[in-house]
Amino acid sequence: MAKTPDIFVWNGTNRKGQSVKGEITANSLSEAKNLLRRQGISATKVKKFTKPLFGKGREKITAQDICTISRQIATMLSAGVTLIQTLDMIAQGHNKASMRKMLIEVADEVKAGNPLSYALRKHPDHFEDLYCDLVETGEQSGALETIYDRIATYKEKAEALKSKIKKAMFYPIAVVVVAFIVTIILLVFVVPQFEEIFSSFGAELPAFTQLVLGISRFVQDYGIFLAAGLGGAGYMFMRAHKKSPKVRDSVDAKILKAPIVGEILKKASIARFTRTLSTTFAAGVPLIGALESAAGASGNAVFRDAILFIRKEVAGGMPMNVAMRATNVFPDMVVQMIAIGEESGSVDEMLGKIATIYEAEVDDMVDGLTSLLEPLIMAVLGVVIGGLIIAMYLPIFQMGNVV
């Protein structure tokens, strides 16, 4: 078995005499220096990369990186470049050392005569079973470039959908967190200053002001315990969510019932299911296997269980549209379009059309949600912050009226 290449960090000067630095992947220190020399780099310092105990190490390989190299592989294979040349070229040109290292390992496996799918399965953190299954199908059918084009399109659509969902969640959460922090600062640091001023008035304060002062005292006295309790509860919930499938399934079911956000997640799950099923089915994967892959990619336990039920019924000879209707999870339009696809023998095309429709709907709903939340959040912020200010100035206004 070939030695896994190492990563070396270097400093030096280029042909123009400019100071440069970077990382390079090689099997030994001497090989790293030779590679740099060929690139016109006069290295002054080359050393093996060692992961630091603290702080940031090498850049992490992201889903977007896998999406990008999938499109690069598809493009190069379609242009007639051999698979080994493709892997070598992408590895040499990638700016992430961790990505270069992984691609070189994959290329070494292929050079040793192993299938690409076998090499990819050695990196399960970056290439899921669905990805590897599709590549294996392409290798067996002799149409790897066509399959890779479908894989790249699938990954691009999946990442775009994920980005839309994050966009829908991030903005309101960020604003609420900022509003919460501002409110706590006002209650802990600003309101007590006013309380000292009010103590010299010698008159009864308005009920609203007394309420705010009481909240301020409570936050000052018990805020740390409350924060610790909430932090502990949050940690326990996250741990239970990670460890217990039952908790995850329960959360998935409840979140679909949430107003607006639940509808977005529902449409996103349908889009993921139909896009995955369309890609795998069109690639030549049998429907039963394609449904199993789609169940794992749906992103929600309710849809996962529904798709597994469909798989079971289809394996027993039931038409897919009938099984889908029996789940009471999929909208009538989706079921009807699948029925038309089954009758016309173009299920993969119909699934692709459904995925495109629902991806567009998710996009529109996210934009609509953002437009709706902006004035709503501003109004809530105005009420909270404005309420605190009014509560603090009410006694001053009343004293002015008495005078």
Side-chain angles (χ1 to χ4, degrees):
M1 188 176 172
K3 177 182 178 292
T4 302
D6 296 313
I7 295 167
F8 295 86
V9 291
W10 57 268
N11 294 78
T13 54
N14 59 19
R15 290 189 178 99
K16 296 179 182 179
Q18 298 167 327
S19 295
V20 287
K21 62 180 181 178
E23 296 177 348
I24 192 166
T25 307
N27 290 315
S28 65
L29 182 62
S30 58
E31 184 183 336
K33 289 179 178 178
N34 287 334
L35 288 170
L36 289 169
R37 199 175 299 117
R38 286 178 205 163
Q39 295 173 21
I41 305 293
S42 177
T44 55
K45 182 181 179 183
V46 182
K47 67 174 184 177
K48 188 175 177 181
F49 174 86
T50 52
K51 190 174 180 180
L53 293 174
F54 303 100
K56 212 175 175 182
R58 281 186 289 132
E59 290 180 279
K60 186 181 177 184
I61 297 173
T62 65
Q64 187 58 50
D65 291 328
I66 302 300
C67 179
T68 303
I69 66 159
S70 298
R71 176 53 67 193
Q72 289 174 327
I73 292 171
T75 303
M76 290 186 182
L77 290 178
S78 299
V81 182
T82 65
L83 178 59
I84 291 174
Q85 286 177 317
T86 296
L87 292 170
D88 284 341
M89 287 167 67
I90 295 173
Q92 289 169 13
H94 210 283
N95 58 357
K96 280 188 182 179
S98 51
M99 197 71 184
R100 289 198 299 272
K101 185 174 185 291
M102 184 186 74
L103 287 169
I104 287 171
E105 289 173 6
V106 170
D108 286 344
E109 288 287 350
V110 176
K111 288 172 187 174
N114 294 314
L116 176 61
S117 55
Y118 171 84
L120 295 177
R121 288 187 199 279
K122 290 197 166 185
H123 304 275
D125 291 342
H126 309 303
F127 301 101
E128 68 274 18
D129 287 341
L130 171 61
Y131 192 108
C132 298
D133 289 344
L134 289 171
V135 171
E136 188 174 358
T137 302
E139 289 172 321
Q140 290 171 355
S141 63
L144 187 59
E145 68 279 357
T146 305
I147 293 296
Y148 243 106
D149 183 61
R150 286 179 179 150
I151 291 172
T153 302
Y154 167 73
K155 296 294 284 184
E156 287 162 357
K157 297 282 187 183
E159 285 305 305
L161 189 62
K162 194 187 294 183
S163 175
K164 289 167 192 170
I165 299 300
K166 285 180 179 176
K167 180 184 172 184
M169 303 295 183
F170 176 77
Y171 179 74
I173 291 173
V175 174
V176 168
V177 168
V178 170
F180 178 76
I181 292 170
V182 170
T183 304
I184 293 298
I185 290 171
L186 288 173
L187 289 171
V188 174
F189 298 105
V190 178
V191 172
Q193 301 298 322
F194 278 91
E195 188 173 13
E196 288 182 14
I197 297 170
F198 298 154
S199 63
S200 62
F201 283 9
E204 187 177 353
L205 298 173
F208 187 34
T209 304
Q210 290 183 31
L211 173 65
V212 172
L213 292 175
I215 294 171
S216 174
R217 289 189 209 102
F218 178 82
V219 170
Q220 290 175 70
D221 294 341
Y222 304 104
I224 294 175
F225 303 107
L226 189 62
L230 289 173
Y235 171 76
M236 293 300 291
F237 172 76
M238 293 300 293
R239 188 172 177 181
H241 188 270
K242 186 178 179 181
K243 301 271 187 185
S244 170
K246 190 179 286 187
V247 172
R248 286 198 299 272
D249 292 357
S250 176
V251 170
D252 281 355
K254 284 182 171 61
I255 202 167
L256 289 181
K257 296 175 183 176
I260 304 175
V261 172
E263 193 62 29
I264 291 175
L265 294 176
K266 208 176 283 183
K267 290 180 185 295
S269 291
I270 293 171
R272 272 194 292 260
F273 159 63
T274 49
R275 179 66 65 192
T276 306
L277 194 58
S278 170
T279 303
T280 50
F281 194 53
V285 178
L287 182 57
I288 304 301
L291 283 166
E292 189 167 353
S293 298
S298 64
N300 186 278
V302 173
F303 283 89
R304 180 201 66 210
D305 293 343
I307 296 164
L308 289 175
F309 171 81
I310 294 167
R311 178 184 176 277
K312 178 184 165 190
E313 295 301 310
V314 169
M318 183 182 288
M320 189 164 72
N321 71 89
V322 177
M324 287 177 73
R325 195 180 295 279
T327 62
N328 293 320
V329 168
F330 296 93
D332 286 339
M333 185 195 79
V334 175
V335 176
Q336 288 166 10
M337 289 180 75
I338 295 294
I340 293 168
E342 287 183 306
E343 287 173 11
S344 61
S346 57
V347 176
D348 55 332
E349 290 180 19
M350 198 59 74
L351 285 164
K353 288 177 182 176
I354 295 169
T356 301
I357 290 169
Y358 274 87
E359 284 162 358
E361 285 192 16
V362 168
D363 203 9
D364 291 341
M365 286 191 75
V366 168
D367 291 340
L369 178 63
T370 305
S371 302
L372 174 68
L373 284 174
E374 280 178 2
L376 186 63
I377 289 171
M378 294 308 294
V380 171
L381 284 177
V383 169
V384 173
I385 308 300
L388 288 173
I389 294 170
I390 290 170
M392 294 303 97
Y393 279 94
L394 265 178
I396 298 172
F397 295 151
Q398 285 188 353
M399 191 172 71
N401 290 334
V402 170
V403 172

Short mmCIF file of all heavy atoms in Angstrom, two decimals, residues 308-342:
data_model
loop_
_atom_site.label_atom_id
_atom_site.label_comp_id
_atom_site.label_asym_id
_atom_site.label_seq_id
_atom_site.Cartn_x
_atom_site.Cartn_y
_atom_site.Cartn_z
N LEU A 308 -39.51 5.39 3.41
CA LEU A 308 -39.22 3.98 3.68
C LEU A 308 -40.50 3.14 3.56
O LEU A 308 -40.46 1.99 3.11
CB LEU A 308 -38.60 3.82 5.08
CG LEU A 308 -37.17 4.36 5.22
CD1 LEU A 308 -36.71 4.26 6.66
CD2 LEU A 308 -36.21 3.61 4.30
N PHE A 309 -41.64 3.72 3.96
CA PHE A 309 -42.92 3.03 3.78
C PHE A 309 -43.22 2.85 2.29
O PHE A 309 -43.66 1.77 1.85
CB PHE A 309 -44.04 3.84 4.45
CG PHE A 309 -45.43 3.34 4.14
CD1 PHE A 309 -45.96 2.26 4.83
CD2 PHE A 309 -46.20 3.92 3.14
CE1 PHE A 309 -47.24 1.78 4.54
CE2 PHE A 309 -47.46 3.46 2.84
CZ PHE A 309 -47.99 2.38 3.55
N ILE A 310 -42.96 3.90 1.51
CA ILE A 310 -43.17 3.82 0.06
C ILE A 310 -42.29 2.73 -0.54
O ILE A 310 -42.73 1.93 -1.37
CB ILE A 310 -42.86 5.19 -0.60
CG1 ILE A 310 -43.87 6.24 -0.15
CG2 ILE A 310 -42.86 5.08 -2.13
CD1 ILE A 310 -43.46 7.67 -0.48
N ARG A 311 -41.02 2.69 -0.09
CA ARG A 311 -40.09 1.67 -0.59
C ARG A 311 -40.62 0.26 -0.32
O ARG A 311 -40.58 -0.61 -1.20
CB ARG A 311 -38.73 1.86 0.08
CG ARG A 311 -37.68 0.84 -0.31
CD ARG A 311 -36.40 1.06 0.49
NE ARG A 311 -35.42 0.03 0.21
CZ ARG A 311 -35.40 -1.17 0.79
NH1 ARG A 311 -36.32 -1.49 1.70
NH2 ARG A 311 -34.47 -2.06 0.47
N LYS A 312 -41.14 0.07 0.87
CA LYS A 312 -41.66 -1.25 1.26
C LYS A 312 -42.86 -1.63 0.38
O LYS A 312 -42.98 -2.76 -0.10
CB LYS A 312 -42.07 -1.19 2.73
CG LYS A 312 -42.69 -2.48 3.26
CD LYS A 312 -43.15 -2.28 4.70
CE LYS A 312 -44.08 -3.39 5.11
NZ LYS A 312 -44.73 -3.11 6.40
N GLU A 313 -43.76 -0.66 0.15
CA GLU A 313 -44.96 -0.94 -0.65
C GLU A 313 -44.62 -1.15 -2.13
O GLU A 313 -45.19 -2.01 -2.78
CB GLU A 313 -45.95 0.23 -0.52
CG GLU A 313 -46.52 0.43 0.89
CD GLU A 313 -47.25 -0.81 1.39
OE1 GLU A 313 -48.11 -1.34 0.66
OE2 GLU A 313 -46.94 -1.27 2.51
N VAL A 314 -43.67 -0.35 -2.63
CA VAL A 314 -43.25 -0.51 -4.03
C VAL A 314 -42.57 -1.86 -4.24
O VAL A 314 -42.77 -2.51 -5.27
CB VAL A 314 -42.30 0.66 -4.44
CG1 VAL A 314 -41.64 0.38 -5.79
CG2 VAL A 314 -43.08 1.97 -4.52
N ALA A 315 -41.79 -2.30 -3.26
CA ALA A 315 -41.14 -3.62 -3.34
C ALA A 315 -42.18 -4.73 -3.39
O ALA A 315 -41.93 -5.81 -3.96
CB ALA A 315 -40.22 -3.82 -2.14
N GLY A 316 -43.35 -4.45 -2.81
CA GLY A 316 -44.44 -5.43 -2.83
C GLY A 316 -45.31 -5.35 -4.07
O GLY A 316 -46.31 -6.07 -4.17
N GLY A 317 -44.97 -4.46 -5.00
CA GLY A 317 -45.71 -4.37 -6.26
C GLY A 317 -46.68 -3.22 -6.38
O GLY A 317 -47.35 -3.07 -7.41
N MET A 318 -46.79 -2.37 -5.37
CA MET A 318 -47.72 -1.24 -5.42
C MET A 318 -47.12 -0.09 -6.24
O MET A 318 -45.93 0.18 -6.11
CB MET A 318 -48.04 -0.76 -4.00
CG MET A 318 -49.07 0.36 -3.93
SD MET A 318 -49.36 0.93 -2.23
CE MET A 318 -50.29 -0.46 -1.57
N PRO A 319 -47.91 0.59 -7.06
CA PRO A 319 -47.40 1.78 -7.77
C PRO A 319 -46.95 2.85 -6.78
O PRO A 319 -47.54 3.00 -5.71
CB PRO A 319 -48.62 2.25 -8.58
CG PRO A 319 -49.50 1.06 -8.70
CD PRO A 319 -49.28 0.27 -7.44
N MET A 320 -45.91 3.59 -7.14
CA MET A 320 -45.33 4.56 -6.21
C MET A 320 -46.33 5.65 -5.83
O MET A 320 -46.38 6.08 -4.68
CB MET A 320 -44.07 5.20 -6.81
CG MET A 320 -43.31 6.06 -5.80
SD MET A 320 -41.63 6.44 -6.28
CE MET A 320 -41.92 7.61 -7.60
N ASN A 321 -47.14 6.12 -6.78
CA ASN A 321 -48.07 7.20 -6.47
C ASN A 321 -49.13 6.76 -5.47
O ASN A 321 -49.57 7.56 -4.63
CB ASN A 321 -48.72 7.74 -7.75
CG ASN A 321 -49.71 6.77 -8.38
OD1 ASN A 321 -50.90 6.78 -8.07
ND2 ASN A 321 -49.24 5.92 -9.27
N VAL A 322 -49.54 5.49 -5.53
CA VAL A 322 -50.53 4.97 -4.58
C VAL A 322 -49.91 4.90 -3.17
O VAL A 322 -50.55 5.29 -2.18
CB VAL A 322 -51.02 3.57 -5.01
CG1 VAL A 322 -51.99 2.99 -3.97
CG2 VAL A 322 -51.69 3.63 -6.37
N ALA A 323 -48.68 4.43 -3.10
CA ALA A 323 -47.99 4.35 -1.81
C ALA A 323 -47.76 5.74 -1.22
O ALA A 323 -47.90 5.95 -0.02
CB ALA A 323 -46.66 3.63 -1.99
N MET A 324 -47.43 6.70 -2.09
CA MET A 324 -47.21 8.08 -1.63
C MET A 324 -48.50 8.68 -1.06
O MET A 324 -48.48 9.35 -0.03
CB MET A 324 -46.71 8.96 -2.77
CG MET A 324 -45.27 8.68 -3.16
SD MET A 324 -44.71 9.65 -4.58
CE MET A 324 -44.55 11.27 -3.81
N ARG A 325 -49.61 8.42 -1.73
CA ARG A 325 -50.90 8.95 -1.24
C ARG A 325 -51.25 8.35 0.12
O ARG A 325 -51.84 9.02 0.98
CB ARG A 325 -52.00 8.65 -2.26
CG ARG A 325 -53.28 9.45 -2.04
CD ARG A 325 -54.33 9.11 -3.09
NE ARG A 325 -53.91 9.49 -4.42
CZ ARG A 325 -54.00 10.73 -4.91
NH1 ARG A 325 -54.47 11.70 -4.16
NH2 ARG A 325 -53.62 10.98 -6.15
N ALA A 326 -50.89 7.09 0.33
CA ALA A 326 -51.22 6.40 1.58
C ALA A 326 -50.47 6.97 2.78
O ALA A 326 -50.91 6.81 3.92
CB ALA A 326 -50.93 4.90 1.45
N THR A 327 -49.34 7.66 2.54
CA THR A 327 -48.56 8.22 3.66
C THR A 327 -49.20 9.48 4.25
O THR A 327 -48.91 9.85 5.39
CB THR A 327 -47.14 8.58 3.19
OG1 THR A 327 -47.21 9.60 2.19
CG2 THR A 327 -46.40 7.36 2.66
N ASN A 328 -50.06 10.15 3.48
CA ASN A 328 -50.68 11.43 3.89
C ASN A 328 -49.63 12.50 4.23
O ASN A 328 -49.86 13.38 5.05
CB ASN A 328 -51.59 11.22 5.12
CG ASN A 328 -52.82 10.40 4.78
OD1 ASN A 328 -53.40 10.57 3.71
ND2 ASN A 328 -53.18 9.48 5.66
N VAL A 329 -48.47 12.42 3.59
CA VAL A 329 -47.39 13.37 3.83
C VAL A 329 -47.17 14.26 2.62
O VAL A 329 -46.89 15.45 2.75
CB VAL A 329 -46.07 12.61 4.18
CG1 VAL A 329 -44.88 13.53 4.15
CG2 VAL A 329 -46.19 11.97 5.56
N PHE A 330 -47.34 13.69 1.43
CA PHE A 330 -47.04 14.42 0.20
C PHE A 330 -48.28 15.12 -0.34
O PHE A 330 -49.39 14.55 -0.33
CB PHE A 330 -46.48 13.47 -0.85
CG PHE A 330 -45.17 12.86 -0.46
CD1 PHE A 330 -45.13 11.62 0.19
CD2 PHE A 330 -43.98 13.52 -0.70
CE1 PHE A 330 -43.92 11.07 0.57
CE2 PHE A 330 -42.77 12.97 -0.32
CZ PHE A 330 -42.74 11.73 0.32
N PRO A 331 -48.14 16.36 -0.84
CA PRO A 331 -49.27 17.09 -1.41
C PRO A 331 -49.85 16.38 -2.63
O PRO A 331 -49.14 15.63 -3.31
CB PRO A 331 -48.65 18.44 -1.82
CG PRO A 331 -47.39 18.55 -1.03
CD PRO A 331 -46.91 17.15 -0.82
N ASP A 332 -51.12 16.63 -2.91
CA ASP A 332 -51.80 15.98 -4.04
C ASP A 332 -51.09 16.26 -5.37
O ASP A 332 -51.02 15.39 -6.23
CB ASP A 332 -53.26 16.46 -4.13
CG ASP A 332 -54.12 15.85 -3.04
OD1 ASP A 332 -53.72 14.80 -2.51
OD2 ASP A 332 -55.19 16.41 -2.73
N MET A 333 -50.58 17.49 -5.53
CA MET A 333 -49.92 17.83 -6.79
C MET A 333 -48.72 16.92 -7.05
O MET A 333 -48.51 16.45 -8.18
CB MET A 333 -49.46 19.28 -6.76
CG MET A 333 -48.88 19.75 -8.09
SD MET A 333 -47.95 21.30 -7.99
CE MET A 333 -46.39 20.74 -7.33
N VAL A 334 -47.93 16.65 -6.00
CA VAL A 334 -46.76 15.78 -6.15
C VAL A 334 -47.19 14.37 -6.53
O VAL A 334 -46.64 13.76 -7.45
CB VAL A 334 -45.94 15.75 -4.84
CG1 VAL A 334 -44.79 14.76 -4.92
CG2 VAL A 334 -45.41 17.14 -4.51
N VAL A 335 -48.21 13.85 -5.84
CA VAL A 335 -48.70 12.49 -6.10
C VAL A 335 -49.22 12.39 -7.53
O VAL A 335 -48.94 11.42 -8.26
CB VAL A 335 -49.80 12.11 -5.09
CG1 VAL A 335 -50.37 10.74 -5.42
CG2 VAL A 335 -49.25 12.12 -3.66
N GLN A 336 -49.98 13.40 -7.97
CA GLN A 336 -50.55 13.38 -9.32
C GLN A 336 -49.47 13.44 -10.39
O GLN A 336 -49.53 12.75 -11.42
CB GLN A 336 -51.53 14.54 -9.49
CG GLN A 336 -52.83 14.35 -8.72
CD GLN A 336 -53.64 15.63 -8.61
OE1 GLN A 336 -53.34 16.62 -9.26
NE2 GLN A 336 -54.69 15.60 -7.80
N MET A 337 -48.43 14.26 -10.16
CA MET A 337 -47.35 14.36 -11.13
C MET A 337 -46.55 13.04 -11.21
O MET A 337 -46.12 12.63 -12.30
CB MET A 337 -46.42 15.52 -10.77
CG MET A 337 -47.05 16.88 -11.02
SD MET A 337 -45.96 18.27 -10.62
CE MET A 337 -44.81 18.23 -12.00
N ILE A 338 -46.39 12.37 -10.07
CA ILE A 338 -45.72 11.07 -10.06
C ILE A 338 -46.55 10.05 -10.83
O ILE A 338 -46.03 9.23 -11.60
CB ILE A 338 -45.46 10.58 -8.62
CG1 ILE A 338 -44.48 11.49 -7.89
CG2 ILE A 338 -44.95 9.13 -8.61
CD1 ILE A 338 -43.08 11.49 -8.42
N ALA A 339 -47.88 10.10 -10.63
CA ALA A 339 -48.77 9.18 -11.34
C ALA A 339 -48.66 9.37 -12.85
O ALA A 339 -48.60 8.39 -13.61
CB ALA A 339 -50.21 9.41 -10.88
N ILE A 340 -48.61 10.63 -13.29
CA ILE A 340 -48.45 10.92 -14.72
C ILE A 340 -47.11 10.40 -15.22
O ILE A 340 -47.01 9.82 -16.31
CB ILE A 340 -48.56 12.45 -14.97
CG1 ILE A 340 -49.98 12.93 -14.66
CG2 ILE A 340 -48.18 12.79 -16.41
CD1 ILE A 340 -50.13 14.43 -14.59
N GLY A 341 -46.05 10.59 -14.41
CA GLY A 341 -44.72 10.11 -14.78
C GLY A 341 -44.67 8.60 -14.90
O GLY A 341 -44.04 8.06 -15.82
N GLU A 342 -45.37 7.89 -14.01
CA GLU A 342 -45.40 6.43 -14.07
C GLU A 342 -46.16 5.95 -15.30
O GLU A 342 -45.77 4.98 -15.95
CB GLU A 342 -46.04 5.87 -12.80
CG GLU A 342 -45.12 5.98 -11.57
CD GLU A 342 -45.71 5.36 -10.32
OE1 GLU A 342 -46.84 5.72 -9.95
OE2 GLU A 342 -45.05 4.51 -9.71
#
